[in-house]
Amino acid sequence: MIANPPPLPAPEAHALVDAPLPGLLTRAAAVRDSAFGINQTWSPKVFLPLTQLCRDLCHYCTFSRPRPGQRAYMTPDEVLEVARAGAAAGCTEALFTLGDKPELRFAQARRELAELGHATTLDYLEAMCRLVIKETGLIPHVNAGVMDAADIARLRRVSASQGLMLETVADRLGEKGGAHYRSPDKVPAVRLATIRAAGELKVPFTTGILIGIGETRAERIDALLAIRELHAEYGHIAEVIVQNFRAKSRTPMADADEPDMDDLLWTIAAARLILPPDVTVQAPPNLADAMFPRLMDAGINDWGGISPVTPDHVNPERPWPAVDKLRAATEAAGRRLVARLPVYPGWTGPDWQDAAILPLIAASSDAEHYARADAWSPGLPLPPQPEPSRGACSPHIARLIERAQAGEALDEDDIVALFVARGPDVEHVCAGADALRRATRGDEVTFVVNRNINYTNICAHACGFCAFSKGRGADNLRGKPYDLDLSEVARRAHEAVARGGTEVCMQGGIHPAYTGETYLKLLGAVKAAEPGLHIHAFSPLEVRHGAETLGLSLADYLTRLKAAGLGSLPGTAAEILDDEVRDVICPDKLNTAEWLETVEAAHSVGLKTTATIMFGHVDSPRHWARHLIRVRELQARSGGITEFVPLPFVPMEAPMALRGIARRGPTFREVRLMHAVARLALHPQITSIQTSWVKLGPDGVAACLNGGANDIGGTLMDESISRAAGASHGQEMPPYEMEELIRGLGRQPHQRSTLYGEVDDLTRARGRQAAPLTPVVLTPPKKFKQKEITDVE
């Protein structure tokens, strides 16, 4: 990416009037590419013309006309019918468009508003926004005309963004004979005042210019400079539309000349060069007819709202291009079509959104704050997936794949670029990762027969993602508090060996009564029952807790654990190794430096570990990249990490998801990319990438094994943590099922030990002839004291 150019001074902006078109297009496209890359966005929407009456008499408009025998307003039932159809079709935006204050001109509007129980059109609009939010989850964007600050503020509580086309700053167009004659709401100063008030209230805003209604090119530039000035002051202009006038019959301007394509392209390019680089430039594709792909030549990065359900009620004679046609044209230009929300990334946070809107945005967002591409969440069955996107790999992505395969350490920006791949690039990243997997690990898929023993779900911490741990105030979450008796731990270990297990994985909450001796006793119970069983136990958080309670250094305590029988550590509690995220999702937990210190200390005393990432909540691709780099650098120093384990966030019962803070887990595209990018970015330091059948199910695991992963983890026997969060994939995948899944992919299954050693034939046979699990005993806590447990709130 190149540095964004400084804003054009006003004299240079006006000099664009005489600029040759070819050079102007080249400059504009370069600025667009620098700011937005190859993403070309659009908003899947439903169009809700709440009323098509207006007090203004614009000479080009057929939207606002009295219609004999028709209602002035959509009824609530009509609004909901359209909104529900949009939600079913995958839309995220409910675009409310209406004329300015029709009740000031039409008696019919006043009568209907009274029947509906509202005094003004804006009162009714607010109520309909609330109704659509409540019943459908669609996110409103409102084009409500000229408003004062009070009306903008109340609509901010029920919409993610608002809009008002400036159209022009030419006052003369409001004089007799002008396009805005007898249109009091089209006075430029009035419209600029509304846009300014929106900025003062921190409302993400759409505006734009309408060209071909009698203005000059110099006046277009003046309008763009006025918009730029407001954005410089308030930072709220997310999008500027360059809309071309199209003559309509039965209007005073029915015979007026329309702007030709060159004029439209010139205006778009000028807008791109005059406006700040973070402001989107859009031009409606349906108003360019079959020539709409040319709009990209001038520097647009957005196609606007397009509906699979409703027509363009402002221009009903010009249908939207089908999304498949839009995608084909976009990709033919070397760009990637990306569905977005009605509010753009950068304006989705609490500084810009009302608290009531934030959960809607989180539920509809992917990791870049674009629209989710699927309704799936980890832990749920994976629905049938669309056919892979076909097409050439973008040159930048191709170069990054080649560099990673050659063993070059990718930097943060490189890794982010891979994580944000879209369209055909996703398939190329996954294919490149799988080729690297084949070269480094062959076609074996490894797994371990193990048993999870979560010895307590009582925890003094309040992690927002965890539905497993129990503290005071957490009885609404699944399960009751328990604290396993050591005899039950020993029994489960003995049963694990009888069923072919070579490992027990032990982790639990941070019980306030536990000390470092507790963890030593847990090891002793297992070793007494099954001396040869490998114990993979204790997260870095538990290790630090144990060391601190005994007043020992990490190295000294880890040495004691190892002597007591600890074989390796799970690299859990990593979540996202970036304190910007940890401060939100687990603020009272160990920080990034402490996690890295603990894992490195384990390696220093000869204990191997895994490394995990728990992603898809409040994190972003940049956080993921930082996490991978920190894990890679740790491995380069210590060499003790056996595998990297992506763990998609399961949101269904997670506290922060229930409060509307977190997204609904990663999208499946993001899941595939996490496994593939981990393979590329961690090479050659870490060569085993694991995929979680508990989070992804058989179909999800199969896709990741075909995209860079080589390990399917453990059979588990007992799985508590993901099921507590709402996962539905069961608590055990027996060895024969794992082998069947792996062979179905044309790969070779291989049962391993925890540390990737061989497993003898007798042990393997026990795993394939295992008796059903006996019921577990969840020992009620003997030392559970409500006052000692931190609220999980």
Side-chain angles (χ1 to χ4, degrees):
M1 301 288 259
I2 62 173
N4 290 322
L8 284 179
E12 291 184 29
H14 277 286
L16 297 176
V17 168
D18 300 316
L21 184 60
L24 201 64
L25 298 182
T26 300
R27 290 171 60 193
V31 171
R32 184 266 320 276
D33 293 346
S34 176
F36 296 96
I38 61 173
N39 285 348
Q40 188 76 21
T41 51
W42 70 291
S43 178
K45 73 175 182 184
V46 288
F47 202 131
L48 293 161
L50 195 62
T51 179
Q52 292 188 242
L53 295 182
C54 181
R55 71 168 179 168
D56 296 318
L57 294 170
C58 301
H59 289 194
Y60 45 79
C61 182
T62 60
F63 175 77
S64 176
R65 289 289 182 271
R67 290 162 174 80
Q70 293 186 13
R71 290 183 56 86
Y73 294 88
M74 296 177 72
T75 66
D77 286 345
E78 289 169 339
V79 168
L80 275 184
E81 181 181 5
V82 174
R84 285 172 174 153
C91 297
T92 55
E93 175 180 350
L95 170 62
F96 284 91
T97 298
L98 47 150
D100 264 284
K101 305 174 186 64
E103 65 272 21
L104 298 182
R105 178 180 171 197
F106 296 101
Q108 179 188 0
R110 294 191 291 274
R111 287 194 303 270
E112 287 190 25
L113 284 171
E115 292 168 4
L116 292 164
H118 296 281
T120 69
T121 298
L122 295 182
D123 292 341
Y124 186 46
L125 171 62
E126 181 182 5
M128 291 303 94
C129 287
R130 292 188 188 281
L131 182 66
V132 165
I133 290 171
K134 178 182 177 182
E135 297 295 331
T136 72
L138 292 181
I139 305 172
H141 168 88
V142 295
N143 290 339
V146 169
M147 294 182 288
D148 61 21
D151 285 329
I152 294 170
R154 63 171 168 147
L155 290 176
R156 186 183 189 272
R157 295 191 289 268
V158 294
S159 64
S161 52
Q162 299 181 32
L164 177 72
M165 291 288 283
L166 174 59
E167 297 195 8
T168 184
V169 290
D171 287 307
R172 61 186 181 79
L173 296 184
E175 298 171 358
K176 189 171 183 178
H180 290 156
Y181 179 58
R182 297 177 64 195
S183 300
D185 299 297
K186 293 301 175 77
V187 173
V190 171
R191 298 179 86 77
L192 287 168
T194 296
I195 301 171
R196 176 177 293 279
E200 292 169 347
L201 292 165
K202 297 190 76 67
V203 174
F205 211 77
T206 292
T207 188
I209 61 174
L210 179 60
I211 69 169
I213 57 172
E215 81 296 341
T216 66
R217 282 189 173 184
E219 288 167 335
R220 296 176 197 173
I221 290 172
D222 286 336
L224 294 168
L225 290 171
I227 293 168
R228 187 176 79 181
E229 182 179 337
L230 287 170
H231 182 67
E233 188 169 359
Y234 301 108
H236 68 307
I237 306 296
E239 171 186 76
V240 171
I241 302 170
V242 177
Q243 183 169 332
N244 50 313
F245 159 73
R246 300 304 302 259
K248 301 177 188 296
S249 60
R250 302 186 305 279
T251 67
M253 294 181 66
D255 298 323
D257 292 334
E258 299 176 342
D260 62 20
M261 179 54 70
D262 282 357
D263 195 24
L264 177 58
L265 294 176
W266 177 89
T267 310
I268 294 169
R272 181 65 284 164
L273 295 173
I274 291 169
L275 295 168
D278 64 328
V279 172
T280 279
V281 174
Q282 179 210 118
N286 58 319
L287 300 188
D289 299 328
M291 293 189 289
F292 77 86
R294 292 196 63 196
L295 302 177
M296 289 182 285
D297 297 340
I300 68 165
N301 61 285
D302 185 79
W303 292 117
I306 294 174
S307 180
V309 176
T310 53
D312 179 353
H313 287 281
V314 177
N315 302 281
E317 73 283 1
R318 300 189 183 279
W320 315 111
V323 174
D324 286 346
K325 186 175 182 180
L326 201 68
R327 178 174 288 105
T330 301
E331 293 186 352
R335 301 183 63 70
R336 299 291 183 251
L337 188 66
V338 181
R340 62 167 172 85
L341 302 178
V343 60
Y344 284 87
W347 288 271
T348 58
D351 288 346
W352 291 99
Q353 298 295 331
D354 187 84
I357 300 299
L358 287 171
L360 293 176
I361 293 173
S364 302
S365 294
D366 68 11
E368 296 176 80
H369 299 284
Y370 293 121
R372 290 185 72 90
D374 54 47
W376 170 82
S377 289
L380 299 178
L382 185 69
Q385 294 297 294
E387 285 294 313
S389 298
R390 306 297 181 187
C393 187
S394 61
H396 182 54
I397 294 296
R399 287 192 296 272
L400 292 176
I401 295 170
E402 291 172 0
R403 287 169 51 200
Q405 290 173 332
E408 184 178 336
L410 302 181
D411 67 20
E412 185 177 310
D413 287 342
D414 295 335
I415 298 171
V416 170
L418 293 175
F419 273 132
V420 301
R422 304 269 177 171
D425 286 344
V426 175
E427 306 307 321
H428 288 285
V429 171
C430 291
D434 210 44
L436 182 57
R437 181 271 307 163
R438 192 175 300 109
T440 55
R441 301 291 303 201
D443 281 334
E444 278 191 350
V445 176
T446 50
F447 65 93
V448 62
V449 177
N450 67 343
R451 181 169 201 168
N452 273 9
I453 301 178
N454 302 120
Y455 36 78
T456 185
N457 64 352
I458 298 169
C459 189
H461 291 273
C463 300
F465 53 83
C466 183
F468 169 74
S469 66
K470 302 294 295 185
R472 180 164 50 89
D475 281 345
N476 61 307
L477 303 180
R478 295 185 179 194
K480 294 294 181 181
Y482 69 83
D483 183 10
L484 294 188
D485 190 84
L486 290 179
S487 64
E488 172 65 7
V489 173
R491 187 195 69 78
R492 294 192 197 183
H494 185 72
E495 186 178 37
V497 171
R499 301 181 83 249
T502 60
E503 169 199 306
V504 287
C505 177
M506 297 199 300
Q507 296 181 93
I510 305 299
H511 194 305
Y514 278 18
T515 70
E517 292 293 341
T518 309
Y519 302 117
L520 292 166
K521 289 177 181 177
L522 285 164
L523 294 172
V526 173
K527 282 299 177 183
E530 293 292 345
L533 189 59
H534 183 98
I535 303 177
H536 182 66
F538 311 139
S539 72
L541 179 61
E542 292 167 285
V543 170
R544 293 188 77 89
H545 176 68
E548 289 167 2
T549 59
L550 298 182
L552 296 174
S553 69
L554 287 172
D556 286 346
Y557 184 57
L558 284 160
T559 299
R560 286 191 63 182
L561 292 173
K562 183 180 178 183
L566 181 63
S568 58
L569 275 73
T572 51
E575 326 315 351
I576 298 292
L577 294 176
D578 190 293
D579 289 337
E580 184 176 77
V581 175
R582 301 181 79 83
D583 287 347
V584 176
I585 69 173
C586 52
D588 62 346
K589 206 169 184 176
L590 77 176
N591 62 30
T592 297
E594 290 168 338
W595 188 93
L596 293 168
E597 178 190 31
T598 307
V599 174
E600 190 161 6
H603 297 168
S604 73
V605 302
L607 287 167
K608 299 288 188 180
T609 74
T610 62
T612 63
I613 184 171
M614 194 273 294
F615 65 105
H617 33 83
V618 302
D619 46 352
S620 73
R622 190 155 298 278
H623 297 125
W624 304 342
R626 293 170 183 166
H627 184 108
L628 290 182
I629 290 171
R630 284 164 180 154
V631 169
R632 185 179 69 197
E633 291 174 345
L634 170 62
Q635 181 73 342
R637 293 193 303 271
S638 65
I641 298 172
T642 55
E643 71 245 27
F644 183 74
V645 188
L647 299 172
F649 170 58
V650 177
M652 283 73 78
E653 301 290 338
M656 65 183 181
L658 295 175
R659 294 200 299 269
I661 297 171
R663 301 191 301 279
R664 293 189 289 110
T667 66
F668 193 59
R669 177 188 67 86
E670 292 164 352
V671 166
R672 293 180 64 206
L673 285 170
M674 178 59 73
H675 290 78
V677 175
R679 168 67 66 188
L680 295 166
L682 297 176
H683 176 70
Q685 300 292 346
I686 299 175
T687 63
S688 187
I689 307 297
Q690 186 180 116
T691 184
S692 170
W693 63 266
V694 175
K695 314 285 188 182
L696 301 178
D699 293 338
V701 159
C704 293
L705 288 172
N706 283 331
N710 64 283
D711 187 83
I712 200 172
T715 58
L716 299 186
M717 299 189 199
D718 291 301
E719 199 294 312
S720 303
I721 294 173
S722 294
R723 285 186 295 131
S728 60
H729 293 305
Q731 66 177 24
E732 181 178 26
M733 183 181 282
Y736 69 87
E737 287 187 15
M738 286 194 165
E739 291 174 344
E740 183 178 317
L741 187 155
I742 293 163
R743 289 195 178 99
L745 299 174
R747 306 270 283 280
Q748 182 62 40
H750 183 83
Q751 183 178 340
R752 61 171 174 86
S753 70
T754 305
L755 300 180
Y756 288 78
E758 295 300 318
V759 176
D760 64 77
D761 291 341
L762 180 60
T763 301
R764 286 167 49 83
R766 284 202 303 268
R768 285 144 189 82
Q769 300 165 8
L773 282 165
T774 56
V776 298
V777 177
L778 298 178
T779 316
K782 296 177 182 178
K783 298 180 180 179
F784 182 65
K785 297 179 181 179
Q786 295 280 357
K787 65 182 180 180
E788 293 180 321
I789 311 298
T790 303
D791 286 346
V792 184
E793 290 291 341

